[in-house]
Amino acid sequence: MSASEIRPLRVALLGCGTVGGAVLRLISEQAHDLTARIGRPVEVAGIAVRRPAHHPDVPQHLLTTDAHALVTRDDVDLVVEVIGGIEPARTLILAAFEAGKSVVSANKALLADDGVALHAAAAKSGVDLYYEAAVAGAIPLLRPLRESLAGDQLRRVVGIVNGTTNYILSRMAETGAGFAEALAEATDLGYAEADPTADVDGFDAAAKAAILASLAFHTPVTAADVHREGISSVSATDVARAAEIGCTVKLLAICERVPNGDGDSVAVRVHPAMIPTAHPLASVGGAFNAVFVEAEAAGQLMFYGQGAGGEPTASAVLGDLVAVARNRLAGAAGQGPSGYADLAVRPMAETPTRYHVSLDVADKPGVLATVAHAFAEHGVSISTVRQNGRGDAATLVIVTHSAPDASLSATIAALRDMPAVRGVTSVLRVEGLS
Amino acid sequence: MSASEIRPLRVALLGCGTVGGAVLRLISEQAHDLTARIGRPVEVAGIAVRRPAHHPDVPQHLLTTDAHALVTRDDVDLVVEVIGGIEPARTLILAAFEAGKSVVSANKALLADDGVALHAAAAKSGVDLYYEAAVAGAIPLLRPLRESLAGDQLRRVVGIVNGTTNYILSRMAETGAGFAEALAEATDLGYAEADPTADVDGFDAAAKAAILASLAFHTPVTAADVHREGISSVSATDVARAAEIGCTVKLLAICERVPNGDGDSVAVRVHPAMIPTAHPLASVGGAFNAVFVEAEAAGQLMFYGQGAGGEPTASAVLGDLVAVARNRLAGAAGQGPSGYADLAVRPMAETPTRYHVSLDVADKPGVLATVAHAFAEHGVSISTVRQNGRGDAATLVIVTHSAPDASLSATIAALRDMPAVRGVTSVLRVEGLS
């Protein structure tokens, strides 16, 4: 065996926070197994960080602030990018490709923003870009979508892919607390960041939805294509109303193939919704993630596990690292995702959804007829109505059938203007009802 | 583009029952997508069946009774084996390898029996052997274990991998019926075969457990290594007792890495067990399958979906078909599973388990002490005891801590011989209790 055959595969690590630190530790702890599984030892060639002084626990000779020099070094074979954010991650990944190095990334924002260009650059250089860790942490999801289901036709992918919002909504359901109170608790416990915008307003989930939809439907989808609503307007009333109809409120990332006369389209959206408590996603509590998949032949599948955290995310990074290392030794890059189907992305206004609406109305004859008329006028058909009288006032709780989202929101606007309606106390979409 | 570049990839289909028929239909229905995903059209070159007259609905010119001639034909590129059973499947697969053709199989019995030799033969010929469909039907499981978790260390894989027994146990819990009654219902509804032995006695689950353990622990495990107990001795009393302690009875396939002073070993077993109703596996009802995985870094994962049926199984077969087709076009076989760890398989007698025991005893002072002494004598520590008096008799319900299975079964034997014990009314292992 020549010296070059036993030379270890050398990895450049970009970023050494929670995930990077866990990657570093696992590479060292599992050295024996990684060598056996790859067929060659793996070693860390260098670690790029902004402030070396903040990393007293890692071998100091590996630290560098010059990430660009590190990824292009001749003795580096593979790059692991766990910096996050758009820049400098994008530039560094492209530089790695140019230098012939495969990249494993956990960067959902970048992949959701610019996945097509990055994949094209990887393909041009004949190297790999893998990113299982970018969606739902440790849960094997992208590889099953890309490979295991490659012979099937996907209909829907519905996921709870953000642990922070799932924790907040779980606590609201358990304690009856409002959003602000549950968020404060999540922040205290470290489940929400000091600036919770990315989680609470759905940006994180929207990036993941874009990645999932791209793979599921062989269609380029970016975060900008995703209709996004966060959970800050979910009220304790919404959560209570959900419980009354046997539902629970979850922030869902929903990727659907919508059949169309002149060719299917895809609809991708992130918003809070009521789902029946019997739905497999309803019992996914706290910081866990789960993704529910419906395919023509496979039927219903669910993938469940830890969606964040250093160790779980590092597990997904290392799985990809083994794959790209094997590909490198085999001398061939793996097949990237395909965008051949290139389906149109359907605007939210035209996407079929269902609403749950709760109204305070005057309890007098004809109110239900007036309200029902408003729905009918907008072409929205009603599935169920429940009327609870109380003195001179009453509550109407209405669940609609499926209709274009714009028709539903126009109906709500009309209801708000109606003299017979004293208040629209809760509006939330409903998913998974038969 | 030369003619050879656009020649379709040609598939030999061995077997055309429920799964084979679905594979045939999907290849035709999804021709456009398969072509795009593989980069070359796929077409069926021939279908080997025993009785062509039984298949009036498939193109008659494709049918042949000479499976061996079909798999070795020069114009065949890939082989899909959905005959099941050991022979002639094994001989045909080996002939396909010799002729340079990759094989996709759904044959759990064969893989569990002879996986090592088959993989060696595939590797020698530089071709692929994929079999995602062999375990848990449509659920992407083997690829995640082999690839996604390749950078992690697996601790346990616990699955509900047989739909027939899960249906029977679910019905027993719902209706209070005994095993025989629930089996009769399952047979009437077509959920159990006329000869239900393979399902009911755990042979099917044991084959799947062997395949899962081999992949999870990088160690060759065959069906003969798996401790196997079926569900025919599960009584209505067992199911009722389980409910009393907040548990449900499931037939579990359990693959564990057991830490040892002088090197870890693996324990692989299939038996009915009580699990807490809050455990994610407890709510897997009817004919569904689910597999729960615990890994060092990834933590807890669960995979859920349809474990059987023509369409779901065909989905898994087609996913593999796309993978082996791509590999063939790339000119390189994928990496087979590795057995490098080669851990010892621990006998059931030495495997740590926990028991739930229900005893009818005389309600007089000192009985509990006598019974507790029998446990202590065998080195078994008791976790909880519940005593219910009723006249001159009483019931003792005992849950043990973990102990070697032989110590537990010796304790039960001693209890049966004890004058103070009128009857051992229920004995079942317990899993997933903290």
Side-chain angles (χ1 to χ4, degrees):
Chain A
M1 196 177 271
S2 77
S4 74
E5 280 174 315
I6 54 163
R7 190 179 78 78
L9 283 169
R10 290 168 60 82
V11 177
L13 180 61
L14 308 183
C16 198
T18 313
V19 175
V23 167
L24 196 61
R25 199 172 54 68
L26 288 179
I27 287 178
S28 153
E29 279 180 15
Q30 312 219 4
H32 169 73
D33 289 295
L34 291 173
T35 303
R37 294 173 195 178
I38 293 168
R40 189 87 74 85
V42 171
E43 73 180 34
V44 176
I47 307 166
V49 296
R50 261 188 301 180
R51 287 179 289 268
H54 289 202
H55 303 275
D57 297 337
V58 306
Q60 297 296 300
H61 69 282
L62 294 177
L63 291 173
T64 172
T65 55
D66 190 345
H68 191 272
L70 177 61
V71 300
T72 54
R73 253 165 59 182
D74 282 346
D75 68 329
V76 164
D77 301 294
L78 308 167
V79 174
V80 171
E81 182 272 306
V82 287
I83 312 174
I86 305 300
E87 286 295 351
R90 186 208 321 251
T91 302
L92 292 170
I93 290 174
L94 292 172
F97 291 160
E98 285 255 325
K101 295 143 192 355
S102 290
V103 174
V104 174
S105 169
N107 195 326
K108 56 196 162 268
L110 178 57
L111 266 301
D113 215 45
D114 212 18
V116 171
L118 289 168
H119 279 294
K124 194 173 154 219
S125 297
V127 296
D128 286 320
L129 171 61
Y130 280 37
Y131 45 92
E132 182 67 76
V135 181
I139 309 174
L141 190 59
L142 306 192
R143 185 173 275 106
L145 284 181
R146 271 172 64 164
E147 300 180 22
S148 307
L149 291 162
D152 208 331
Q153 196 76 259
L154 273 74
R155 281 189 204 140
R156 306 180 92 217
V157 178
V158 181
I160 294 171
V161 293
N162 181 274
T164 303
T165 48
N166 200 46
Y167 177 83
I168 292 170
L169 292 171
S170 297
R171 290 301 289 163
M172 288 174 70
E174 287 157 16
T175 66
F179 167 76
E181 193 183 329
L183 170 61
E185 183 193 318
T187 309
D188 284 349
L189 293 171
Y191 291 136
E193 303 196 30
D195 176 359
T197 312
D199 294 317
V200 163
D201 289 349
F203 290 99
D204 174 82
K208 292 165 177 170
I211 294 171
L212 289 174
S214 300
L215 296 177
F217 304 121
H218 301 271
T219 288
V221 175
T222 68
D225 295 321
V226 181
H227 174 83
R228 179 187 50 74
E229 297 172 30
I231 64 163
S232 55
S233 63
V234 175
S235 66
T237 305
D238 293 331
V239 173
R241 287 281 177 280
E244 283 167 18
I245 60 164
C247 284
T248 183
V249 179
K250 295 287 184 188
L251 181 69
L252 299 180
I254 303 173
C255 315
E256 288 176 307
R257 184 175 182 125
V258 185
N260 239 23
D262 53 344
D264 293 357
S265 57
V266 298
V268 192
R269 51 199 165 104
V270 167
H271 57 69
M274 298 181 180
I275 55 171
T277 50
H279 191 286
L281 287 175
S283 55
V284 176
F288 273 83
N289 278 196
V291 177
F292 192 76
V293 174
E294 286 178 51
E296 290 290 336
Q300 300 183 333
L301 301 168
M302 194 170 81
F303 303 80
Y304 170 91
Q306 293 189 62
E311 298 269 309
T313 309
S315 170
V317 167
L318 257 72
D320 278 352
L321 189 66
V322 170
V324 302
R326 284 177 176 176
N327 288 347
R328 186 176 176 100
L329 294 180
Q335 177 142 348
S338 81
Y340 75 89
D342 204 15
L343 303 175
V345 176
R346 177 178 277 244
M348 185 63 182
E350 297 167 22
T351 298
T353 64
R354 297 178 70 176
Y355 273 38
H356 168 281
V357 187
S358 184
L359 307 173
D360 273 354
V361 295
D363 188 10
K364 50 186 183 186
V367 170
L368 177 55
T370 313
V371 166
H373 182 69
F375 282 89
E377 252 187 347
H378 290 90
V380 176
S381 152
I382 289 175
S383 167
T384 61
V385 181
R386 202 177 69 241
Q387 180 158 10
N388 302 323
R390 41 162 210 213
D392 67 338
T395 307
L396 281 183
V397 178
I398 296 162
V399 178
T400 73
H401 282 299
S402 177
D405 200 75
S407 306
L408 288 158
S409 56
T411 308
I412 303 301
L415 291 171
R416 289 192 202 277
D417 285 345
M418 210 173 269
V421 174
R422 297 182 180 175
V424 178
T425 55
S426 172
V427 180
L428 215 56
R429 295 191 187 87
V430 182
E431 291 288 325
L433 275 189
S434 54
Chain B
M1 194 177 274
S2 77
S4 75
E5 279 174 316
I6 54 162
R7 189 179 79 78
L9 283 170
R10 290 168 61 82
V11 176
L13 181 60
L14 308 183
C16 198
T18 312
V19 176
V23 167
L24 196 62
R25 198 172 56 67
L26 288 180
I27 287 178
S28 153
E29 279 179 17
Q30 312 219 5
H32 169 72
D33 289 295
L34 291 173
T35 303
R37 293 173 195 179
I38 293 168
R40 188 88 72 88
V42 172
E43 72 181 33
V44 176
I47 307 166
V49 295
R50 262 189 300 180
R51 288 180 288 269
H54 288 202
H55 302 277
D57 297 338
V58 306
Q60 296 295 302
H61 69 283
L62 293 178
L63 291 173
T64 172
T65 55
D66 190 345
H68 190 274
L70 177 62
V71 299
T72 54
R73 252 165 60 181
D74 283 346
D75 67 330
V76 164
D77 301 295
L78 307 168
V79 173
V80 171
E81 183 272 304
V82 287
I83 312 176
I86 304 300
E87 286 295 351
R90 187 209 319 252
T91 301
L92 292 171
I93 290 174
L94 291 172
F97 291 161
E98 285 255 327
K101 295 145 193 350
S102 291
V103 174
V104 175
S105 170
N107 195 326
K108 55 196 162 269
L110 179 57
L111 265 301
D113 215 45
D114 212 18
V116 171
L118 288 168
H119 279 295
K124 192 172 155 220
S125 297
V127 297
D128 287 319
L129 171 61
Y130 280 37
Y131 44 94
E132 183 67 76
V135 181
I139 308 174
L141 190 58
L142 306 192
R143 185 173 276 107
L145 284 181
R146 272 171 63 164
E147 301 180 22
S148 307
L149 291 162
D152 208 332
Q153 197 75 261
L154 273 73
R155 280 190 205 141
R156 305 180 92 218
V157 178
V158 181
I160 294 171
V161 293
N162 181 273
T164 303
T165 47
N166 199 47
Y167 177 83
I168 292 171
L169 292 171
S170 297
R171 290 301 289 164
M172 288 174 70
E174 287 157 17
T175 66
F179 167 75
E181 193 183 332
L183 170 60
E185 184 194 317
T187 309
D188 283 350
L189 293 171
Y191 291 138
E193 303 198 29
D195 175 0
T197 312
D199 294 318
V200 163
D201 289 349
F203 290 99
D204 175 82
K208 292 165 178 170
I211 294 172
L212 289 174
S214 300
L215 295 177
F217 304 122
H218 301 271
T219 287
V221 176
T222 69
D225 295 322
V226 181
H227 174 83
R228 179 187 50 75
E229 297 171 29
I231 64 163
S232 55
S233 62
V234 175
S235 66
T237 306
D238 292 332
V239 173
R241 288 281 177 278
E244 283 167 18
I245 61 163
C247 284
T248 184
V249 179
K250 295 288 184 188
L251 181 69
L252 299 180
I254 304 173
C255 316
E256 288 176 308
R257 184 173 182 126
V258 186
N260 239 23
D262 53 344
D264 293 357
S265 57
V266 298
V268 192
R269 50 199 165 104
V270 167
H271 58 69
M274 297 183 182
I275 55 171
T277 51
H279 191 285
L281 288 176
S283 54
V284 176
F288 273 83
N289 279 195
V291 177
F292 193 75
V293 174
E294 285 178 52
E296 289 291 334
Q300 301 182 332
L301 301 168
M302 194 171 81
F303 303 80
Y304 170 92
Q306 293 189 61
E311 299 270 308
T313 309
S315 171
V317 167
L318 258 72
D320 279 351
L321 189 66
V322 169
V324 302
R326 284 176 175 177
N327 288 347
R328 185 175 177 100
L329 294 181
Q335 177 140 349
S338 81
Y340 74 88
D342 204 15
L343 303 175
V345 176
R346 177 177 278 244
M348 185 64 183
E350 297 167 22
T351 299
T353 63
R354 296 178 71 176
Y355 274 37
H356 167 282
V357 187
S358 185
L359 306 173
D360 274 354
V361 296
D363 189 9
K364 51 187 183 186
V367 169
L368 178 55
T370 314
V371 166
H373 182 69
F375 282 89
E377 250 187 349
H378 291 90
V380 176
S381 151
I382 290 175
S383 167
T384 61
V385 180
R386 203 177 68 241
Q387 180 158 11
N388 301 323
R390 41 162 210 214
D392 66 338
T395 305
L396 281 184
V397 177
I398 296 162
V399 178
T400 73
H401 281 299
S402 176
D405 199 76
S407 306
L408 289 158
S409 54
T411 308
I412 302 302
L415 291 171
R416 288 192 204 276
D417 285 344
M418 209 172 270
V421 174
R422 298 183 179 174
V424 177
T425 54
S426 170
V427 180
L428 215 57
R429 295 191 187 86
V430 181
E431 291 288 325
L433 276 189
S434 54

